[in-house]
Amino acid sequence: MIPDTLSPGQYDTVYNFLSLVIAAQLFTAVFLLISLPRILPRYRAAITVAIVVCGIAAYHYFRIFDSFKAAFVTEAAGGQGDYAQAAGVGFNEGYRYVDWLLTVPLLLVELIAVLALARSVQTRLLRGLVPAAALMIILGYPGEISGDNGVRGLFGLLSTIPFLYILYVLFVQLSKSLDRQPASVRATLGRLRYLLLLSWGVYPIAYLLPLLNIAGSDAWVYKQVGYSVADILAKAVYALIIFQVARMKSFNDDPTFAAIELSRDEEPARS
Amino acid sequence: MIPDTLSPGQYDTVYNFLSLVIAAQLFTAVFLLISLPRILPRYRAAITVAIVVCGIAAYHYFRIFDSFKAAFVTEAAGGQGDYAQAAGVGFNEGYRYVDWLLTVPLLLVELIAVLALARSVQTRLLRGLVPAAALMIILGYPGEISGDNGVRGLFGLLSTIPFLYILYVLFVQLSKSLDRQPASVRATLGRLRYLLLLSWGVYPIAYLLPLLNIAGSDAWVYKQVGYSVADILAKAVYALIIFQVARMKSFNDDPTFAAIELSRDEEPARS
């Protein structure tokens, strides 16, 4: 539940984290957009999806940020007093779900696209992963907006089924394809899967906080901070690792491209 | 009719769907803009039109979203109480018609442009389709803003005439041209016509809700959700399928381009 009041410190913490997410997502998207020519065309689809994911997340955090600013106000001069919920507007938790409905399937598309598998394998994997990701988010929503812990637990459980299926595809089905990736990128791709597991794991924990009877304004602030950090890891940091994979694979595929790109990094020879 | 009050759940549903449309249109436009070099120049006119259509729709949904937020307010703290129509501002349904007047003719231009037909055939088709699309929207408007069911029915009927003409051109006249498209894209183009029929079919149903005496706040919320989903299908999803067609045709037209873009499909041979 959204707390009735926040202390100035709590208010500032949420405010600063929400703003941090906007900066992280927006400028990861800008960085990747400028960096597109630094990878081969065959990997640009993956990075284009990454740019779109970070852009969508930045858009939604602008909305979440505005919703937060409108939802809590203080009567005291200079923002020294507690913040209370404003009349006429509520903080809209639903935005996060709208964001995830669009971005979570796309995060899996990013991962599969950068692997550059045979088209038939790629299509088969995505036909399982994308609907599972959408279903996971859709099933979480009724639990999130419900005040009833039973409903929250039930939908949390239902939403875990597609999540487990996604983990099965990524950690079992995908392992064979990973073995065929160039040796230089295999370790990075392994780390990427664990980053996905770690950052996606934050969401169910935050979701379950009310079931553990951890309530009150502190729990709510922790939840906002947790979601914010998880969104930075799962989208911006994840996108940067995908870019690194795309660049390593570009060098591996095309030595001429590698020579041109890498010679740039050296000091020009003085004669 | 616009309802006098909305429950918090109804308010949030409309709010989240309107925001979803903004994100979907805006980032489809961004995705297509970044992806323009991934198709041959001859198909870029079609995708440029698609970018403009999604951009126009995003702009209008920003307006619709703001109009909605201003039109409904709640007295209760934290947005926990019912929302009532605010004094001094009304929700402006008319925006949708301004959007459609610009975008619906352009959606047909997109479709014809990606086919890359002989110039004379293209001109002949568009001379029929574009005025018919504009006429369809213009004739619907007096019925939409009228409180009278007779007027609504009459203009709904008049607006159906150009709609049927458009369907005739797409499903009868165009069929000959589709047979000359590469085999790989024929199925996708067929699906695209059905997506158009399906998503455009939502609008007359929503338009006729008042005639069926389905009124009240639930009907209005369903109408907003229906229009939102239909706009995502008819513009963003439609544009992505047009892009897919353009990409398949690019590969079909130019094997060298396909090799650069697609060599990713083969695992590099290890020696």
Side-chain angles (χ1 to χ4, degrees):
Chain A
M1 289 299 291
I2 298 161
D4 292 329
T5 59
L6 293 174
S7 72
Q10 287 177 325
Y11 179 88
D12 285 350
T13 302
V14 175
Y15 188 98
N16 290 339
F17 268 93
L18 294 178
S19 178
L20 174 67
V21 182
I22 296 177
Q25 307 287 6
L26 189 59
F27 291 97
T28 301
V30 169
F31 171 82
L32 294 175
L33 187 59
I34 298 172
S35 302
L36 265 186
R38 297 175 59 213
I39 54 174
L40 289 180
R42 72 190 62 152
Y43 300 114
R44 287 181 197 162
I47 303 306
T48 304
V49 175
I51 294 167
V52 166
V53 166
C54 291
I56 292 174
Y59 163 75
H60 282 115
Y61 267 86
F62 270 112
R63 287 257 180 249
I64 293 170
F65 186 80
D66 280 351
S67 177
F68 174 73
K69 274 209 304 185
F72 289 95
V73 288
T74 176
E75 300 297 315
Q80 299 301 304
D82 278 0
Y83 287 77
Q85 285 200 28
V89 277
F91 179 66
N92 186 344
E93 288 277 10
Y95 273 134
R96 297 196 182 276
Y97 279 79
V98 176
D99 179 68
W100 296 336
L101 183 62
L102 291 168
T103 55
V104 172
L106 290 175
L107 287 171
L108 296 169
V109 172
E110 248 176 89
L111 176 62
I112 301 301
V114 85
L115 297 178
L117 307 172
R119 185 158 292 268
S120 60
V121 179
Q122 186 169 323
T123 308
R124 186 167 49 74
L125 287 170
L126 287 178
R127 277 204 186 135
L129 288 172
V130 168
L135 200 64
M136 178 175 78
I137 305 301
I138 291 167
L139 286 172
Y141 185 69
E144 180 74 78
I145 59 165
S146 165
D148 184 282
N149 274 352
V151 175
R152 177 172 282 260
L154 174 69
F155 280 98
L157 200 67
L158 287 175
S159 156
T160 305
I161 301 169
F163 181 48
L164 292 177
Y165 171 76
I166 292 169
L167 292 184
Y168 166 76
V169 173
L170 293 184
F171 284 87
V172 180
Q173 286 201 331
L174 202 62
S175 288
K176 254 181 293 174
S177 303
L178 285 194
D179 291 344
R180 281 193 297 268
Q181 297 290 316
S184 60
V185 303
R186 231 176 289 154
T188 310
L189 283 170
R191 275 204 300 280
L192 193 67
R193 284 196 302 189
Y194 284 103
L195 174 70
L196 189 147
L197 183 61
L198 176 80
S199 56
W200 289 27
V202 173
Y203 303 104
I205 294 169
Y207 184 91
L208 290 175
L209 285 180
L211 288 189
L212 303 171
N213 284 319
I214 299 171
S217 56
D218 266 342
W220 188 81
V221 170
Y222 294 147
K223 188 170 97 169
Q224 298 308 319
V225 170
Y227 277 158
S228 299
V229 173
D231 274 338
I232 291 176
L233 291 175
K235 299 192 178 99
V237 174
Y238 181 86
L240 293 172
I241 298 178
I242 296 258
F243 178 73
Q244 198 193 350
V245 169
R247 200 157 150 83
M248 286 190 292
K249 291 187 76 171
S250 295
F251 293 167
N252 194 70
D253 292 356
D254 184 344
T256 316
F257 181 77
I260 293 167
E261 284 285 315
L262 285 178
S263 64
R264 252 191 1 187
D265 291 344
E266 268 123 68
E267 296 283 332
R270 309 247 181 276
S271 55
Chain B
M1 288 300 292
I2 298 163
D4 292 328
T5 60
L6 293 175
S7 73
Q10 287 177 325
Y11 179 87
D12 284 350
T13 302
V14 174
Y15 191 97
N16 289 338
F17 267 94
L18 294 178
S19 179
L20 175 67
V21 182
I22 295 177
Q25 307 286 6
L26 189 59
F27 290 97
T28 301
V30 169
F31 172 83
L32 294 175
L33 189 58
I34 300 172
S35 301
L36 265 186
R38 297 176 58 215
I39 53 175
L40 289 181
R42 74 187 60 146
Y43 301 113
R44 287 182 196 160
I47 303 305
T48 304
V49 175
I51 294 168
V52 167
V53 166
C54 290
I56 292 173
Y59 164 76
H60 282 113
Y61 267 86
F62 270 112
R63 287 257 178 254
I64 292 170
F65 186 81
D66 281 350
S67 175
F68 174 73
K69 274 210 303 188
F72 289 94
V73 288
T74 175
E75 299 298 314
Q80 298 300 306
D82 278 1
Y83 287 75
Q85 284 202 32
V89 276
F91 179 66
N92 186 346
E93 288 277 11
Y95 275 134
R96 297 194 182 278
Y97 279 79
V98 176
D99 179 69
W100 295 337
L101 184 61
L102 291 169
T103 55
V104 172
L106 290 175
L107 287 171
L108 296 169
V109 173
E110 253 177 66
L111 175 62
I112 301 302
V114 85
L115 297 178
L117 307 170
R119 185 157 295 268
S120 62
V121 179
Q122 188 168 323
T123 308
R124 185 168 51 75
L125 286 169
L126 288 177
R127 274 200 189 139
L129 287 172
V130 169
L135 199 64
M136 178 175 79
I137 305 302
I138 292 167
L139 286 172
Y141 185 68
E144 180 74 78
I145 58 165
S146 164
D148 184 281
N149 274 353
V151 174
R152 177 171 282 259
L154 173 68
F155 280 98
L157 200 67
L158 287 175
S159 154
T160 304
I161 301 169
F163 181 48
L164 292 177
Y165 170 75
I166 292 169
L167 292 184
Y168 166 76
V169 173
L170 294 184
F171 284 85
V172 180
Q173 287 202 331
L174 202 62
S175 289
K176 254 181 295 174
S177 303
L178 285 194
D179 291 343
R180 280 193 295 268
Q181 296 290 314
S184 60
V185 303
R186 231 176 289 152
T188 309
L189 283 169
R191 276 205 299 281
L192 193 68
R193 284 196 303 189
Y194 283 102
L195 175 70
L196 189 148
L197 182 61
L198 177 81
S199 56
W200 289 27
V202 172
Y203 303 104
I205 293 169
Y207 184 90
L208 290 176
L209 285 180
L211 287 189
L212 303 171
N213 283 318
I214 299 172
S217 56
D218 266 343
W220 188 81
V221 170
Y222 294 146
K223 188 171 96 170
Q224 298 307 320
V225 171
Y227 276 158
S228 299
V229 173
D231 274 337
I232 291 175
L233 291 175
K235 300 191 178 96
V237 174
Y238 181 85
L240 293 173
I241 299 179
I242 296 258
F243 178 75
Q244 199 193 348
V245 169
R247 202 158 146 82
M248 286 191 292
K249 292 186 76 171
S250 297
F251 296 163
N252 195 69
D253 293 357
D254 182 345
T256 314
F257 180 77
I260 293 168
E261 287 280 320
L262 272 189
S263 56
R264 66 191 187 111
D265 274 4
E266 273 111 77
E267 298 288 332
R270 309 250 180 275
S271 53

